[in-house]
Amino acid sequence: MAASRKLMSIRRDWRERDVRVVLAALMIAVATVATIALFASQLQRTLVTSASSFLAADRQLEAENGRPIPERWLDEARNRQLETGEMVEFSTMVFGADNFQLVAIKAVSNEYPLRGQIEYQREPGQPRELVSQGPAPGEVWINPRLLRLLDIEVGDSLEVGNLQLTVSGLLVREPDGGFRLSALAPRVMMHVDDVQATEVIQEGSRVEFVYLFAGEEASLESYYQWLEPQLEPSHEWEGVRDGETFSRSLQRAESFLLLGGSLAVMLAAVAVAVASRQYALSQRDTVALLKTLGVRSRGIGNLYLKRLGLWGLAGAAGGLAIALPLYWLMSRILSDVLEREVDYQLDPAALAPALLTALVALFAFAYPPIRRLRNVPAMRVLRSQPGESGREALPDMVIAVLAVFGLVWMYAGDVSLVLALLGGLALLLGTLALLGWLMVLSLRKISGGGNAWRLALVGLYRHRRASLSQMAVFAMTLMLAATLILVRTSLLADWQAQLPEDTPNHFLINIAPDMVDDIDDFWQERGQPLDTLYPMVRGRLTGLNGDPVREAVTKDEGVGALNRELNLTWMDSLPADNEIVEGEWFAPDQTTGVSVEAELAGRLGLQVGDRLTFTIGSEKVTEPITSIRTVQWDSMKPNFYMAFPPGGGLEAMPATWITSFYLPGANKSALNEFSRQYPTVSVLEIDHIIQRIQDIVQQVTQAIEAILALILAAALVVMAAVVSATLRDRQREGALLRTLGGRQSLLVRSTMLEFALLGLFAGILGVVAAEAAVWALQFRMFEGQFQWHWAVVLPIPVFSAIVLALFGRWQLRPVLSVSPMLLLRRLE
Amino acid sequence: MLKVSNLTHQVSLETDTLTILQGVSLEINRGESVAIVGRSGSGKTTLLGLLAGLDTPTEGTVELDGAVISKLSEDERAKLRAQRVGFVFQSFQLLPALTALENVMLPLELGGVESPGKKARELLERVGLGERLNHTPRQLSGGEQQRVAIARAFASDPVVLFADEPTGNLDNRTGQAVSDLLMALNREQGTTLVMVTHDERLARRCARQFNIEAGVLSEPNVQRVAEPVS
Ligand SMILES: Nc1ncnc2c1ncn2[C@@H]1O[C@H](COP(=O)(O)OP(=O)(O)OP(=O)(O)O)[C@@H](O)[C@H]1O
Ligand SMILES: [Mg+2]
């Protein structure tokens, strides 16, 4: 019975326009935030899985010390419901019938790959197949180039150490085909169980044991917690996020989704706040009446609390009813784009912010004005109601705004984001206050004279209170939308710049010094000029300021780099994408000094002026650090930790040369000719990887566009809600102006002008505040890569002026279609 | 000046049509003052709206100052209203966001008058609200709002003024003052006055009185209407 009465009361409420607006705003709020959050969490999972296949797992543990890890580490992982796999990587000579060749062996267990698939070909010319398992024991798959280099065919046998193995297929692409310069020779893939029998691996040989892990994110995390204290410096735990090549793109996509979600939270809060506050103010008369009828203050408070609660439920239910099918649709589209199934999962962490946002905004903005009314004496309540003064409402507003920002914080978990948005908002409101003051000063003198412009300006002045608060909401909405547009634009531009169409997709390695010119000519003739050729010397960093480096470097994390051979080079000019952060680049005829990559310098605690000693073969070279520079690791060009000046001590060392270049798919056959002519040069083909990255960027771009569209739609709805908040007053005014003899065209023009001015000012304010917020954001979230995009944001004020003018026109519609008499009767 | 013949007004409701006015005919000369009395719901406001060109009748014609209202376009009707007609609404119809002064300025601004503030101030002073220029309707009492509405109706120097219960919310003394104001205008400026009123005394001060009952208009003889007030 009671429940049905409550339903009845909701149904009765529904007949009130203000209530309908509140409920609609609630539903839209819940729907937008929930859809974006669900989709973002979906996309994140999808991205992580896509990216995981770059590791062939979710995590890798590399042992660079040449020893396997204890078996119980793997047992522990399996106990924690993680899948595991093993790989052993080493270089060795393999022998065909007549020829031999240095190859990079990758021996894999049955489980490899845990993520992604191997692309494999049974015979040259046969279709490529995707398989989820490597070669069986006794078999090997080889890089197609080896067929030529060894002069063998599929089915022949191959000698690896003491073991004869059968070539049973061609390895076209491995899922974890990231490139390491240590693995340059052609690839041979075999089964891990055969490694022992080859007897290639002896104490002290260079071999890397790699372990693969996959499973739930939480289990992986807790496993790492368990594992970390036992790891030695030579162990390296790698996740997708730590990888160098793709992490930046992914992190930015995630940041964008978070930002999009946060903006959705704020927009939703604005919509609900505007609507519910409007409702609360319109309820003042009702509250007054109830008080004169003898209902006690507490009773009134409870009545409204209950009502708001009911609406919260109704709005949440309605919002979810919109969000879930929408999300379903988006995940369908995503799975079409990706050409694979994606799971439809209702992540509670994604739903919570949606519901909380709606409720917080509802109660924080609707209840305080009603509650305050309880304190008004009944006598005063009886008299006509002066509108609530801003001063009374201010503390509540501040609390409510803080609550909303708290929500954003909870949602994004990023203080700097909250601060940037809050700062932008403060700037916006400050400017608005100034603008309001100027408006009052300058418009006061204008009095209308039958012309649309003057009437519009008079209108702005007369409605200054409503105009300013509407402008605040419009400007805020536009600021949020503009922020997102700005971030999206520079995000996409950045990605485009990072991997342009002609990104180098082949490396040539191991070029003997006397071949450099010939090879340069070879590719020049075929219209595929090489990028800069760099000499490369492999050496270890062994001394720092005269002390052995192991003692001198105290930072634990640095030690990993010391175990590895570093690629050293010499160059006369700084590569275009490198940047000096400390010290100075070599002077033209300088032959001493060394330039160190910034991250490594940071890890080892190196400073300009420190003297580094490198051990190269049996030689030692000592140079002072003269500069520290950043490197674009994902540029797909040769990058070096250590660069020496030409003519320095390094030039005496045995060097090979390295370069990268862009070779379009259509010209791939030139590679065969090249390999035949220069069999000792290694070719590293990374065109597949680049294609993958470009595909992912494409997908993420589409997702970002979808989210942007959703946010913009939400922004439009908020603006419509705000406009409709004063709908009744505006219509009454329109009706009255008509009875007083205002021509329709005059009415239309002045109203549209007034709204257009409102929109223009709000747009300008919003754009300026957005630039400020983005300026603040650029420091943290997006690594300072931002430029000002005035061309992108300038259309926004124009757009908002037009949209608002149309809203204004739309408002007048009933005023124009009905006789003034009927209109006044209706608006009574 | 004002010629109404065979006026019928109907509104269609959800289920049937409601006839509010039926076969109303009357003629009012320039400078006359006319009172329309009748029970609540009898159709007084509707008739007044039709006479003022705020609505168009279902049947019949209203001829105002030589122009047949139903034949005019909406903009021509607006122009007519702006130049010839003043209207005092039963429920005032003041804009709550505007001050008293701004409310009175509205018709002047629409008409493109050069300094609307000056004239509006004069009018408000004349209705005794010279001290309340910058108060919004919410800060004014019912009677004060009524007077603002009257000042606004006079702002455009109308040829004919329609007033829907102009003294309905006023105490005797203020009501008397407002009546005096209306009659003075009628007398001094020759403004034609058509008003709906329950106030017998005000009705008696008008040259002619009409009775309306269930949408049918009649003009009883002056003696019968002018019974003493109880
Ligand atoms: N647009 C309409 N829709 C429905 N009913 C209407 C409409 N216009 C007028 N009426 C009805 O017509 C009747 C006459 O209305 P009107 O406002 O003219 O009465 P009135 O004589 O002015 O009454 P009062 O003295 O109470 O102001 C009323 O019953 C009213 O409800
Ligand atoms: Mg009436």
Side-chain angles (χ1 to χ4, degrees):
Chain A
M1 260 335 263
S4 79
R5 272 221 316 275
K6 275 175 195 164
L7 271 179
M8 279 300 292
S9 108
I10 279 230
R11 203 183 294 163
R12 206 182 49 216
D13 281 348
W14 184 248
R15 269 189 245 129
E16 267 182 70
R17 216 187 61 88
D18 287 322
V19 178
R20 284 205 303 270
V21 175
V22 173
L23 281 179
L26 271 175
M27 280 195 244
I28 289 163
V30 172
T32 325
V33 179
T35 309
I36 290 180
L38 282 172
F39 186 61
S41 100
Q42 158 104 73
L43 201 66
Q44 202 170 330
R45 285 196 304 273
T46 311
L47 284 177
V48 167
T49 346
S50 301
S52 285
S53 58
F54 287 116
L55 290 178
D58 292 334
R59 299 286 191 284
Q60 280 192 358
L61 178 63
E62 287 174 27
E64 291 172 341
N65 55 4
R67 286 194 306 272
I69 60 170
E71 190 58 35
R72 58 185 184 85
W73 289 7
L74 291 175
D75 291 340
E76 178 68 24
R78 286 188 280 263
N79 284 343
R80 290 170 186 263
Q81 313 302 324
L82 295 177
E83 290 176 73
T84 62
E86 292 173 45
M87 321 193 295
V88 183
E89 294 186 65
F90 55 96
S91 300
T92 188
M93 287 293 177
V94 294
F95 299 84
D98 314 309
N99 269 332
F100 59 90
Q101 169 73 35
L102 179 74
V103 299
I105 302 256
K106 177 169 188 162
V108 299
S109 63
N110 290 332
E111 300 86 6
Y112 172 90
L114 299 183
R115 295 275 187 257
Q117 289 182 309
I118 307 171
E119 205 170 322
Y120 147 99
Q121 209 174 7
R122 208 172 291 275
E123 295 257 5
Q126 297 258 316
R128 296 169 169 192
E129 296 169 43
L130 288 174
V131 294
S132 307
Q133 213 177 33
E139 299 179 2
V140 285
W141 296 348
I142 61 174
N143 181 309
R145 275 192 300 130
L146 270 179
L147 293 178
R148 279 193 318 274
L149 293 171
L150 290 173
D151 202 11
I152 54 172
E153 286 176 15
V154 173
D156 288 352
S157 72
L158 193 73
E159 208 174 296
V160 182
N162 290 341
L163 194 65
Q164 291 280 341
L165 295 166
T166 309
V167 177
S168 64
L170 301 176
L171 183 65
V172 180
R173 179 163 65 97
E174 39 191 298
D176 48 340
F179 66 109
R180 289 187 202 118
L181 291 186
S182 55
L184 305 177
R187 174 67 91 204
V188 168
M189 185 178 278
M190 59 186 278
H191 196 278
V192 77
D193 290 352
D194 289 336
V195 171
Q196 190 71 39
T198 64
E199 294 177 25
V200 170
I201 299 182
Q202 311 286 335
E203 189 61 36
S205 39
R206 262 178 70 80
V207 57
E208 206 167 285
F209 290 86
V210 181
Y211 300 87
L212 306 175
F213 302 90
E216 298 272 328
E217 195 58 30
S219 313
L220 287 165
E221 269 311 308
S222 79
Y223 176 62
Y224 181 59
Q225 298 296 325
W226 175 85
L227 185 65
E228 195 188 3
Q230 314 178 54
L231 292 181
E232 293 169 28
S234 57
H235 288 137
E236 207 167 317
W237 177 259
E238 254 190 277
V240 179
R241 281 142 218 273
D242 316 337
E244 274 162 357
T245 312
F246 321 106
S247 62
R248 219 158 58 105
S249 309
L250 286 184
Q251 267 165 14
R252 287 172 170 221
E254 279 188 46
S255 295
F256 182 86
L257 293 179
L258 271 184
L259 181 70
S262 309
L263 297 191
V265 168
M266 290 187 56
L267 274 179
V270 170
V272 176
V274 168
S276 57
R277 197 173 152 72
Q278 186 64 27
Y279 167 76
L281 294 181
S282 78
Q283 285 303 295
R284 295 171 69 91
D285 290 336
T286 312
V287 174
L289 192 68
L290 288 176
K291 287 195 82 167
T292 60
L293 293 178
V295 181
R296 277 182 311 160
S297 301
R298 181 188 305 215
I300 293 175
N302 289 344
L303 190 75
Y304 278 97
L305 272 182
K306 233 181 256 164
R307 242 188 206 184
L308 294 184
L310 268 177
W311 296 351
L313 286 182
L320 287 183
I322 300 171
L324 298 187
L326 211 59
Y327 164 53
W328 181 82
L329 199 71
M330 286 178 94
S331 57
R332 282 304 84 201
I333 293 171
L334 184 69
S335 90
D336 277 354
V337 172
L338 296 181
E339 294 175 344
R340 69 183 160 86
E341 271 311 293
V342 298
D343 57 329
Y344 176 81
Q345 187 180 324
L346 296 184
D347 186 354
L351 289 178
L355 302 179
L356 268 178
T357 306
L359 290 182
V360 166
L362 181 64
F363 282 96
F365 287 95
Y367 188 60
I370 291 172
R371 192 205 58 217
R372 262 196 310 282
L373 212 59
R374 301 186 328 198
N375 310 327
V376 178
M379 247 313 281
R380 269 214 50 191
V381 147
L382 243 190
R383 260 188 76 84
S384 62
Q385 298 291 305
E388 205 181 41
S389 81
R391 205 164 302 143
E392 258 179 285
L394 199 63
D396 287 326
M397 293 297 214
V398 169
I399 290 173
V401 167
L402 288 183
V404 170
F405 274 96
L407 273 175
V408 174
W409 189 0
M410 181 197 96
Y411 178 70
D414 189 336
V415 193
S416 55
L417 173 65
V418 178
L419 289 181
L421 291 177
L422 206 58
L425 208 65
L427 179 83
L428 187 150
L429 293 179
T431 319
L432 190 70
L434 190 74
L435 196 77
W437 181 68
L438 283 177
M439 192 167 99
V440 170
L441 272 191
S442 61
L443 295 185
R444 181 159 37 200
K445 305 222 173 54
I446 296 183
S447 53
N451 127 358
W453 266 104
R454 294 176 83 176
L455 278 182
L457 291 175
V458 168
L460 267 184
Y461 175 70
R462 300 249 167 98
H463 305 124
R464 59 192 172 276
R465 214 180 243 193
S467 299
L468 282 174
S469 57
Q470 286 192 339
M471 212 190 279
V473 178
F474 292 146
M476 236 157 79
T477 309
L478 290 168
M479 167 195 149
L480 299 181
T483 306
L484 205 62
I485 291 177
L486 272 178
V487 171
R488 162 199 162 270
T489 306
S490 47
L491 197 63
L492 298 192
D494 202 56
W495 279 342
Q496 231 99 73
Q498 200 181 322
L499 285 180
E501 202 43 45
D502 57 352
T503 305
N505 56 3
H506 289 79
F507 277 76
L508 299 181
I509 299 141
N510 215 13
I511 303 171
D514 55 353
M515 281 184 212
V516 168
D517 291 339
D518 291 350
I519 290 178
D520 212 6
D521 291 346
F522 177 95
W523 288 109
Q524 190 74 48
E525 278 163 26
R526 280 156 189 80
Q528 311 292 338
L530 302 177
D531 286 356
T532 317
L533 281 131
Y534 293 99
M536 189 168 92
V537 175
R538 292 179 68 82
R540 281 171 196 269
L541 176 62
T542 48
L544 172 57
N545 294 329
D547 299 324
V549 76
R550 268 164 210 285
E551 290 161 29
V553 172
T554 46
K555 289 192 181 175
D556 266 358
E557 40 185 329
V559 182
L562 299 177
N563 282 315
R564 248 189 255 157
E565 283 199 314
L566 299 172
N567 293 320
L568 318 176
T569 191
W570 67 85
M571 44 171 99
D572 49 8
S573 56
L574 185 69
D577 55 3
N578 287 199
E579 221 175 287
I580 301 283
V581 290
E582 245 184 281
E584 269 173 45
W585 187 246
F586 311 118
D589 44 5
Q590 185 179 342
T591 57
T592 56
V594 59
S595 172
V596 183
E597 189 270 335
E599 267 178 48
L600 182 73
R603 260 188 288 161
L604 298 180
L606 302 179
Q607 314 257 306
V608 170
D610 283 346
R611 298 177 59 78
L612 301 183
T613 303
F614 296 91
T615 305
I616 300 155
S618 54
E619 310 275 328
K620 283 193 190 309
V621 175
T622 301
E623 292 289 350
I625 299 179
T626 52
S627 67
I628 291 178
R629 86 208 121 83
T630 59
V631 162
Q632 296 295 319
W633 288 110
D634 41 12
S635 66
M636 301 296 164
K637 291 175 181 161
N639 283 307
F640 298 91
Y641 281 118
M642 303 288 172
F644 293 71
L650 209 61
E651 269 193 33
M653 304 293 160
T656 59
W657 294 64
I658 177 173
T659 187
S660 64
F661 69 113
Y662 172 69
L663 183 64
N667 280 5
K668 276 217 86 141
S669 56
L671 273 186
N672 291 336
E673 198 188 335
F674 179 79
S675 294
R676 238 174 289 129
Q677 209 165 328
Y678 302 98
T680 54
V681 175
S682 301
V683 180
L684 189 63
E685 301 164 54
I686 55 166
D687 43 348
H688 290 297
I689 301 177
I690 295 199
Q691 193 55 49
R692 281 291 297 286
I693 301 174
Q694 275 164 345
D695 287 351
I696 288 187
V697 165
Q698 181 89 33
Q699 292 154 18
V700 175
T701 304
Q702 274 168 358
I704 280 174
E705 301 285 14
I707 283 177
L708 183 68
L710 210 62
I711 292 268
L712 290 184
L716 271 183
V717 171
V718 170
M719 296 188 25
V722 173
V723 167
S724 79
T726 54
L727 186 70
R728 199 186 306 229
D729 289 345
R730 292 281 185 169
Q731 289 186 349
R732 182 189 304 277
E733 189 175 324
L736 195 73
L737 287 175
R738 271 190 67 197
T739 65
L740 293 180
R743 271 175 299 121
Q744 301 209 8
S745 55
L746 181 70
L747 211 64
V748 168
R749 262 183 294 143
S750 68
T751 308
M752 285 179 80
L753 260 175
E754 186 182 335
F755 273 90
L757 285 173
L758 200 68
L760 187 72
F761 284 133
I764 292 172
L765 267 180
V767 163
V768 169
E771 287 282 14
V774 168
W775 174 79
L777 278 178
Q778 72 179 337
F779 286 123
R780 241 188 71 91
M781 288 186 84
F782 302 98
E783 300 173 14
Q785 296 277 324
F786 269 93
Q787 292 158 2
W788 304 105
H789 288 93
W790 290 111
V792 177
V793 294
L794 275 188
I796 291 176
V798 177
F799 174 79
S800 78
I802 292 174
V803 166
L804 279 183
L806 291 178
F807 272 146
R809 177 67 185 76
W810 166 77
Q811 259 190 350
L812 276 184
R813 210 178 21 133
V815 178
L816 299 180
S817 64
V818 174
S819 81
M821 196 70 199
L822 196 56
L823 204 61
L824 288 176
R825 219 181 255 280
R826 274 193 200 157
L827 293 171
E828 206 66 327
Chain B
M1 162 80 225
L2 190 64
K3 198 164 149 196
V4 175
S5 54
N6 207 17
L7 200 64
T8 296
H9 195 61
Q10 295 175 321
V11 290
S12 40
L13 304 177
E14 274 154 35
T15 47
D16 54 347
T17 52
L18 177 72
T19 304
I20 305 174
L21 294 175
Q22 206 162 20
V24 173
S25 298
L26 82 160
E27 208 165 318
I28 297 169
N29 296 320
R30 186 175 293 274
E32 263 187 323
S33 59
V34 171
I36 299 171
V37 292
R39 287 221 203 112
S40 174
S42 55
K44 304 182 295 291
T45 300
T46 309
L47 177 60
L48 218 56
L50 286 170
L51 295 182
L54 293 178
D55 209 346
T56 45
T58 318
E59 265 174 49
T61 53
V62 177
E63 199 182 314
L64 182 66
D65 221 11
V68 177
I69 284 177
S70 49
K71 286 199 181 141
L72 298 179
S73 74
E74 186 50 50
D75 273 354
E76 285 166 335
R77 272 201 293 274
K79 194 172 162 202
L80 184 77
R81 284 197 295 267
Q83 294 175 349
R84 317 269 171 86
V85 175
F87 207 110
V88 181
F89 295 92
Q90 192 170 2
S91 46
F92 320 142
Q93 301 289 2
L94 300 177
L95 292 182
L98 307 194
T99 62
L101 185 67
E102 287 166 344
N103 265 296
V104 178
M105 278 162 69
L106 268 185
L108 297 169
E109 285 165 353
L110 282 173
V113 170
E114 249 329 299
S115 51
K118 189 160 159 274
K119 180 153 192 203
R121 202 169 290 123
E122 281 168 16
L123 283 165
L124 280 169
E125 272 159 14
R126 212 162 143 202
V127 296
L129 290 175
E131 308 292 305
R132 314 292 303 269
L133 298 180
N134 292 318
H135 291 180
T136 60
R138 285 203 163 136
Q139 295 163 316
L140 299 174
S141 75
E144 285 160 347
Q145 292 180 40
Q146 182 100 317
R147 281 184 277 160
V148 175
I150 289 170
R152 184 181 63 192
F154 281 122
S156 55
D157 292 326
V159 189
V160 50
L161 183 87
F162 297 93
D164 198 349
E165 299 191 23
T167 56
N169 289 280
L170 307 180
D171 59 89
N172 266 343
R173 183 120 60 89
T174 327
Q176 186 67 41
V178 167
S179 313
D180 289 348
L181 192 71
L182 289 172
M183 299 322 286
L185 264 162
N186 172 244
R187 230 176 15 247
E188 290 159 18
Q189 295 177 11
T191 309
T192 313
L193 203 58
V194 181
M195 58 182 146
V196 166
T197 183
H198 290 304
D199 182 345
E200 296 287 346
R201 236 182 319 167
L202 178 56
R204 258 186 284 130
R205 291 174 73 175
C206 292
R208 294 164 72 193
Q209 290 108 40
F210 288 90
N211 221 331
I212 188 166
E213 206 173 320
V216 179
L217 192 79
S218 59
E219 187 176 10
N221 73 54
V222 178
Q223 267 69 25
R224 282 237 313 273
V225 177
E227 280 165 4
V229 194
S230 54

